[in-house]
Amino acid sequence: MRPHRAGFVLVTVLAVCAPRPAQPMEGGPFRRAGRPADQPPPRLRSAVALAKAERVALHAVPGGREDTQAQAASSAEGQQPSQAAAARVRLVATGGTISNRTGGRLTAEELVQSMPGLERYVRPEFEQFSNVASSELTLDQWLALARRLNEIFATDAGISGLVVTSGTDTLEELAYFLNLTVRSEKPVVVVGSMRNPSALGYEGAANLLEGFRVAASEDARGKGVLVVLNDEINAAREVTKTDALRLGTFQTRGYGVLGVIDADRAVFYRNVVKRHTAKSEFDVRSVTRLPRVDVLMVYQGADGDLIKAAADAGARGIVMAAAGAGATSGTQQAGITYALKKGVLVVTTTRAGSGRIAPRRGPDAAQPARSVTDPLTAFERARRIAGEDLSPVKARVLLMLALTRTTDPAEIQRMFLEY
C-alpha cells in the first residue's frame, strides 16, 4: 500500500485584532456611590461579564459615610427580566466567616461580585456596616445596625428588601434582635457561611445569592426576619445553630423550616404567628444602651453564688438555662431568691434545646398565700418570668428589650407570651 504524501495546509490569517482599552461604563454595574462620573468604575471580577449594561441610577446611601457604598446591576442585553429582577435589594455586611478570607476580609462589594448571575434576580446594592467576627459585634453596634436598617426602609421607599451578613456563632441572636427591632414588613434576610472564602467547598456565595432571592420575593413580606443558609429558610425566632461544623447546622427544632429555595423560586410552607418587625412595640431610636442581662446554666450541684454575683454586679435580669422543665440544683434556688429580693427579674428557660416553660399561673389567677417559710413577697415572686419556648440566648435578647420599656413583671410576662 502506497504511503500518502505529506500534505501542507496553508492557513491564511484574515485579521488579528488587538484588544482595545476598556472603556469606562458610566452608571454601570458595581460603581461606587459618590464617585465622579468621569472616573472609571472598578473592573468586574465576576466570572460572567455582562454583554451590555443599560444605564441605571445608582442609589446613594443616606448619611454620606465614607465606608458606605451602593451598587445596582442591570440585566444582560436581550434578557427579559422577571418580576424579581426589578427588585432592588441591598446587602448590609457586618463580617463573619462568610467574609473571613485568608490574607484579608472580603468587603461588601467583593461579596456581591462573588455571585455570577446575581443581576438575573435582583438589582443589588451594598454597604459596609462593619467587618468583624460576629462575637466581636457589641450591643451598641446591634442598636446602631437596627437603626440603620430602619433608616434605609424609612428613606428609600423603592427598596424591596435587605440582606445582612453575620458570623454564624451568634447569628441567631442578632437575627432575633433584628426581628424585634426592625419595624418594616419588607424582608430582612440574615445570611452566613460555615466555611471561609479560602476553604474548599466555601458555600458563602451560594447562601448569599439565595438570601438575595428571598429578600426579593413578595412571599417573604410580613414573615419577620429570616435566616437563609443551606437552601433553607428559617424564622429568626425559632432557628438555632445545632452543630459546630456541619453545613446544615441551622435548624428549627420541633417546628421545621419556613421554606426552601429551589431553582425556580423561594417556596414557603407556613407563617410566623408570634409578633415581630412591623408589629413590634420595641423602638430603639432613643435607646442608648441595652441593660445587662446574664445567662446562667443549671448543672448538678450548681452554686447559687454565681447568681448572687450577677445581681451584685448590676444585672437587671438573669436568664436561667434550667434542667428539663425548669429545675434548679444545688444552692441555686437561694441565689434566685437573693436576686428577686434585689429587684432582678429571673427568666426560666430550658437547656434541653426545645420545649416550653409555661407560666405557673395565668395573669388573672389569684396569688398563693405566702407561707411562713417563704422569704419572698407576692410581688417579689412575680419577678419570676416563664421564658416560653425561647432558647436561653434569645430569652436574654427579649428581656433586654423588655427592660428598655418597663420593669413590670406582668407586662414582661405578656411580652414573652406574644413575642
Side-chain angles (χ1 to χ4, degrees):
M1 187 173 183
R2 294 181 58 189
H4 293 288
R5 297 181 59 187
F8 297 91
V9 179
L10 178 63
V11 178
T12 304
V13 178
L14 298 179
V16 177
C17 297
R20 293 178 296 174
Q23 299 298 314
M25 185 163 53
E26 181 181 356
F30 308 114
R31 198 186 81 181
R32 295 186 180 185
R35 182 167 44 80
D38 58 349
Q39 294 182 12
R43 296 182 63 87
L44 296 178
R45 291 184 293 272
S46 172
V48 180
L50 297 178
K52 181 180 179 181
E54 61 187 12
R55 185 180 181 86
V56 294
L58 294 180
H59 173 71
V61 178
R65 294 177 300 191
E66 290 183 359
D67 64 343
T68 300
Q69 301 170 327
Q71 173 273 337
S74 61
S75 60
E77 183 179 23
Q79 177 183 338
Q80 296 298 321
S82 64
Q83 183 179 2
R88 251 188 329 112
V89 176
R90 181 177 300 180
L91 168 66
V92 181
T94 72
T97 299
I98 195 170
S99 298
N100 194 18
R101 177 185 55 191
T102 301
R105 289 183 175 273
L106 295 177
T107 65
E109 179 179 7
E110 289 172 320
L111 285 171
V112 169
Q113 292 174 345
S114 72
M115 296 174 284
L118 175 61
E119 67 283 348
R120 292 171 49 201
Y121 303 102
V122 299
R123 288 182 292 152
E125 301 175 358
F126 57 85
E127 66 179 77
Q128 193 81 50
F129 177 81
S130 63
N131 206 345
V132 297
S134 62
S135 57
E136 294 179 13
L137 281 175
T138 66
L139 296 182
D140 289 343
Q141 286 177 302
W142 274 17
L143 289 169
L145 179 60
R147 285 193 286 264
R148 177 62 190 141
L149 302 188
N150 280 313
E151 179 187 19
I152 294 172
F153 284 133
T155 58
D156 187 0
I159 201 79
S160 295
L162 299 173
V163 176
V164 178
T165 55
S166 171
T168 59
D169 287 346
T170 60
L171 183 148
E172 63 195 89
E173 297 169 65
L174 173 62
Y176 185 52
F177 177 78
L178 298 178
N179 190 62
L180 299 174
T181 57
V182 178
R183 304 173 79 179
S184 173
E185 292 253 342
K186 294 182 178 180
V188 175
V189 180
V190 183
V191 174
S193 71
M194 293 297 292
R195 294 171 178 162
N196 68 60
S198 302
L200 184 65
Y202 169 64
E203 84 282 18
N207 289 343
L208 194 56
L209 176 61
E210 293 179 343
F212 268 93
R213 291 177 60 195
V214 172
S217 171
E218 283 292 323
D219 293 337
R221 291 177 65 97
K223 289 184 170 61
V225 173
L226 305 172
V227 173
V228 171
L229 291 94
N230 203 39
D231 305 331
E232 295 179 340
I233 308 167
N234 285 280
R237 182 188 184 275
E238 302 162 350
V239 72
T240 190
K241 186 175 182 178
T242 64
D243 192 281
L245 297 172
R246 304 285 82 81
L247 299 186
T249 178
F250 282 92
Q251 299 178 18
T252 297
R253 289 170 169 164
Y255 309 137
V257 298
L258 279 185
V260 296
I261 308 101
D262 288 329
D264 59 334
R265 62 190 175 96
V267 183
F268 289 88
Y269 299 113
R270 62 183 180 90
N271 288 318
V272 178
V273 298
K274 295 288 188 177
R275 288 178 66 179
H276 56 75
T277 53
K279 295 181 180 179
S280 174
E281 64 195 271
F282 302 113
D283 186 350
V284 297
R285 286 177 296 180
S286 59
V287 176
T288 58
R289 188 171 186 179
L290 291 170
R292 175 173 172 170
V293 173
D294 293 328
V295 179
L296 295 172
M297 180 175 283
V298 173
Y299 48 90
Q300 196 65 39
D303 201 316
D305 287 350
L306 293 176
I307 301 173
K308 295 178 181 179
D312 290 339
R316 294 180 58 193
I318 295 173
V319 176
M320 298 299 302
T328 58
S329 186
T331 59
Q332 286 184 318
Q333 193 55 53
I336 290 173
T337 297
Y338 178 86
L340 294 173
K341 292 188 75 66
K342 289 200 69 169
V344 178
L345 285 107
V346 177
V347 176
T348 303
T349 63
T350 179
R351 70 179 195 183
S354 63
R356 176 174 175 257
I357 303 296
R360 295 183 179 181
R361 61 190 67 86
D364 300 323
Q367 298 295 319
R370 180 183 179 186
S371 69
V372 294
T373 59
D374 187 354
L376 295 172
T377 66
F379 187 74
E380 289 167 344
R381 286 197 304 273
R383 295 191 181 114
R384 291 291 299 268
I385 307 296
E388 291 286 319
D389 59 342
L390 287 174
S391 67
V393 292
K394 289 181 183 176
R396 172 180 178 257
V397 171
L398 179 54
L399 184 55
M400 285 192 296
L401 287 168
L403 286 168
T404 66
R405 295 187 57 82
T406 183
T407 57
D408 181 357
E411 270 294 284
I412 293 177
Q413 184 65 77
R414 173 192 64 80
M415 294 173 185
F416 272 83
L417 290 171
E418 294 181 4
Y419 292 92

